[in-house]
Amino acid sequence: MSELVLRAEKLDAADELAPLRSRFVLDDVVYLDGNSLGALPANVPGRVEDVVRRQWGELRIRSWDESGWWTAPERIGDRIAPLVGAAPGQIVVGDSTSVNVFKALVAAVRMAGEERDEILVDATTFPTDGYIAESAARLTGRRLRALDPAEVPSALGDRTAAVLLNHVDYRGGRLHDLPALTAAIHAAGALAVWDLCHSAGALPVGLDEHGVDLAVGCTYKYLNGGPGSPAYLYVRRDLQGRFDSPLPGWNSHAEPFGMSPSYAPAPGALRGRVGTPDILSMLALEAALDVWDDVSVSSVRAKSLALTDFFLECVTAYTEPGRVVCVTPEPHGERGSQIALRCPDAGEVMKRLIARGVVGDFRHPDILRFGFTPLYVSFADAERAARVLGEVLG
Amino acid sequence: MSELVLRAEKLDAADELAPLRSRFVLDDVVYLDGNSLGALPANVPGRVEDVVRRQWGELRIRSWDESGWWTAPERIGDRIAPLVGAAPGQIVVGDSTSVNVFKALVAAVRMAGEERDEILVDATTFPTDGYIAESAARLTGRRLRALDPAEVPSALGDRTAAVLLNHVDYRGGRLHDLPALTAAIHAAGALAVWDLCHSAGALPVGLDEHGVDLAVGCTYKYLNGGPGSPAYLYVRRDLQGRFDSPLPGWNSHAEPFGMSPSYAPAPGALRGRVGTPDILSMLALEAALDVWDDVSVSSVRAKSLALTDFFLECVTAYTEPGRVVCVTPEPHGERGSQIALRCPDAGEVMKRLIARGVVGDFRHPDILRFGFTPLYVSFADAERAARVLGEVLG
């Protein structure tokens, strides 16, 4: 047995998070795609069945009150809050990430005022953020500039209204310096909007601590909410009174059942709601968040870094030098919870990996992406994934 | 036994739709709130369990292809299409009704061109449409005028860009003349956007036949998709190439997995998609639509009118004259699938009705609302509801 297999055994034996794996439905596949779709938490199927059969099927319309459907967006927001370093009352769940980027960016531009006419957006971001930013700019009469996050500090100025950045790059897995960039944006008098899709649930975010203005994120990656589970929107408490939504649906009205023809926004985070929440997806997410009840994000982060370090060590040991190139930064302070390896035949390689029971994903044109969810990925998984990769690369 | 009870028995015995009731999970409550939340179709729980346990839990990320998750928005749109008189390829499912109103209205205004600077909106509509219309007007630099649908023809002119109307009024249950109003809007060179929340699944809509431009609707009322199930967007085929979405998320990109930094819209109805679809809610809806496989909307409409006629007859028979006033129009051509009765103590009356097993709803300040879903409401239900109402009103 190789030294790396023994190392993996020892690391797993010492891992205090190892028992959490039993909270998920998993098989003998090495699942390194939790940064795309998190695995199924074991308590979710029973909860969903109760929501469908009893809450919908028996209580029907009464469930809007009696089963807490109506208040789910803010209640579940408060469950996500500690995972991203937010005090309660600042997050609502609902809509897709794209829709929340739109709400956040238009609201940020309006807060910045008329004289600031430029939006900066991370050019390396997941494309939807750029597309939506372009629409927000067009509809609010602002100019959009796409640039590398490293260029943001020098691009900031009196004209900057808002900056939309990804905390962790979806492709290469680079972790951006949220505290420093937020401080630089604030120093220029602009607002910072962060997309947390690839960081929430994998590493500490510290929204309140670092004074982030607005943030959005999905819940189906490291939060394991299920396919297309609703996204969330964070609006810092002291900005909520100025949050002027471009999607002022009736769910965000101060008196939604008053059915008033004129709009009056609700106080607090509720102002970020739009239409009727999709209850099935939302309550599946609520159940999925139970997994986190006794888990600290800092312990998750420590294991994530240990896992990705160990995986890289195994890749180096099992793979011919130069066959793959790691594009994820080595320094811990710049690394998310994934490893991206560049190789020219990445598409084919990933197919062979999946056929061998190692599930990552392929990102056009040449990236093998492996996501490490510390809640259920073991060091043995990391060793096996690297070993199979070495065999597949041959 | 009263004559009305016997009449109800005969009507139920002759009702060809009566067997459909067994396709739903129902108890001995008279459920007249299907125009708010449709009852649970009996096949939905099993389907949802399969989606959660097998598609998510076992296949995980593979389900985006293998379980048809990725194509669900347009596939389910094509299931809704025949219910609203649309040929395939013109409807996508996703997001809330409010979000779809925003997409439809901004897109309509853009199609109308710069020189048309006014949006007309139904002042009697469900409030969210008015709030969203106001936002659409503000963001596109148009003027919004709220008016009674009856005033629309005389208000139309060279400046009218688009008109947003409800097919059936959520409160009083008035059915508006979609063919005539659409024709008038077109004669003025403007675009017609219809909200079908309270008509789809209850009566023929004829989107294609009447040349409607854009339409939206929810799926949790007469389509029984479940609490907060995703809404849909119809864009008439010949307008799709000009559909310029204000929410151009990555799901509407011509090559969503190309991850291109520049946006290029997909052809067809796909262009109305935004972000990742909420699969649990969406596939519950897909199962719910199975109920319609052998059901014609015209037979549903015929039963709906017979039910509401009979209910009104029973209310007249069982209730002291003047105690309640019907605000839903009597003529069939102006009536949706609900009956709204005005009485000063409506809030209290509805509580007593619900306590007696007759579930309708109360709409501020003085409306008792009874929705008739012909798929599962019987004439015996209508008689019992009216009888209990008479007793409760005392």
Side-chain angles (χ1 to χ4, degrees), chain A residues 128 131 135 138 244 246 260 278, chain B residues 131 135 138 244 246 250 260 278:
Chain A
T128 209
Y131 308 157
S135 175
R138 175 180 172 193
D244 182 4
S260 165
D278 53 333
Chain B
Y131 308 158
S135 175
R138 175 180 172 195
D244 182 4
W250 73 295
S260 165
D278 52 334

Side-chain angles (χ1 to χ4, degrees), chain A residues 25-27 29 31 33 36-42 44-46 48-49 51-53 55-62 64 69 95-99 102 106 110 123 126-128 130-132 134-136 138-140 170-171 220 224-230 244-251 253 255-264 274-282 284 288 354 359-361 363-364, chain B residues 25-27 29 31 33 36-42 44-46 48-49 51-53 55-62 64 69 95-99 102 106 110 123 126-128 130-132 134-136 138-140 170-171 220 224-230 244-251 253 255-264 274-282 284 288 354 359-361 363-364:
Chain A
V25 176
L26 289 163
D27 45 29
V29 162
Y31 191 64
D33 214 0
S36 183
L37 175 64
L40 173 65
V44 165
V48 171
E49 187 175 5
V51 171
V52 173
R53 289 189 190 271
Q55 296 183 12
W56 175 13
E58 295 176 21
L59 299 178
R60 288 185 287 265
I61 197 73
R62 290 163 50 192
W64 282 109
W69 288 356
D95 304 308
S96 65
T97 305
S98 300
V99 170
F102 184 73
V106 172
R110 287 173 171 174
F126 189 73
T128 209
Y131 308 157
I132 295 289
E134 194 172 355
S135 175
R138 175 180 172 193
L139 284 165
T140 58
Y170 80 101
R171 215 161 161 277
Y220 45 76
N224 313 298
S229 55
D244 182 4
S245 177
L247 295 169
W250 73 295
N251 268 238
H253 197 283
E255 276 191 82
F257 291 95
M259 302 289 165
S260 165
S262 60
Y263 181 71
V274 184
T276 304
D278 53 333
I279 293 300
L280 267 53
S281 295
M282 197 163 284
I354 290 170
V359 177
D361 60 23
R363 281 295 174 262
H364 190 76
Chain B
V25 176
L26 290 163
D27 45 28
V29 163
Y31 191 63
D33 213 359
S36 182
L37 175 65
L40 172 64
V44 165
V48 170
E49 187 174 7
V51 171
V52 173
R53 288 188 191 272
Q55 296 184 11
W56 174 14
E58 294 176 21
L59 300 178
R60 288 184 287 264
I61 196 74
R62 291 164 49 192
W64 282 107
W69 289 356
D95 304 309
S96 65
T97 305
S98 300
V99 170
F102 184 74
V106 172
R110 287 173 172 173
F126 189 73
T128 209
Y131 308 158
I132 295 288
E134 193 172 355
S135 175
R138 175 180 172 195
L139 284 165
T140 58
Y170 80 100
R171 214 160 162 278
Y220 45 76
N224 313 298
S229 55
D244 182 4
S245 177
L247 294 169
W250 73 295
N251 268 237
H253 197 282
E255 277 191 82
F257 291 96
M259 302 289 166
S260 165
S262 60
Y263 181 71
V274 184
T276 304
D278 52 334
I279 294 299
L280 267 52
S281 295
M282 197 161 286
I354 290 171
V359 177
D361 60 23
R363 282 296 174 259
H364 189 78

Side-chain angles (χ1 to χ4, degrees), chain A residues 84-267:
Chain A
V84 292
Q90 301 175 102
I91 296 182
V92 283
V93 173
D95 304 308
S96 65
T97 305
S98 300
V99 170
N100 281 297
V101 168
F102 184 73
K103 291 182 222 170
L105 210 45
V106 172
V109 162
R110 287 173 171 174
M111 287 177 198
E114 287 293 336
E115 68 284 359
R116 290 179 176 266
D117 64 356
E118 191 169 77
I119 299 172
L120 304 182
V121 65
D122 178 353
T124 66
T125 191
F126 189 73
T128 209
D129 295 38
Y131 308 157
I132 295 289
E134 194 172 355
S135 175
R138 175 180 172 193
L139 284 165
T140 58
R142 264 64 173 189
R143 190 167 84 105
L144 181 71
R145 276 174 71 192
L147 70 186
D148 190 280
E151 300 168 335
V152 164
S154 60
L156 291 161
D158 288 350
R159 295 177 57 179
T160 316
V163 185
L164 171 64
L165 293 166
N166 261 248
H167 196 193
V168 171
D169 175 61
Y170 80 101
R171 215 161 161 277
R174 176 180 290 276
L175 170 65
H176 294 295
D177 190 343
L178 181 145
L181 284 164
T182 303
I185 293 163
H186 286 171
L191 287 101
V193 182
W194 285 92
D195 180 331
L196 310 177
C197 284
H198 286 273
S199 61
L203 50 91
V205 178
L207 289 178
D208 286 354
E209 181 187 351
H210 304 302
V212 167
D213 301 296
L214 300 115
V216 303
C218 79
T219 62
Y220 45 76
K221 299 182 190 292
Y222 298 106
L223 300 180
N224 313 298
S229 55
Y232 57 89
L233 171 70
Y234 165 90
V235 182
R236 203 180 67 215
R237 191 180 308 281
D238 62 300
L239 296 178
Q240 289 171 351
R242 295 163 57 207
F243 182 82
D244 182 4
S245 177
L247 295 169
W250 73 295
N251 268 238
S252 69
H253 197 283
E255 276 191 82
F257 291 95
M259 302 289 165
S260 165
S262 60
Y263 181 71

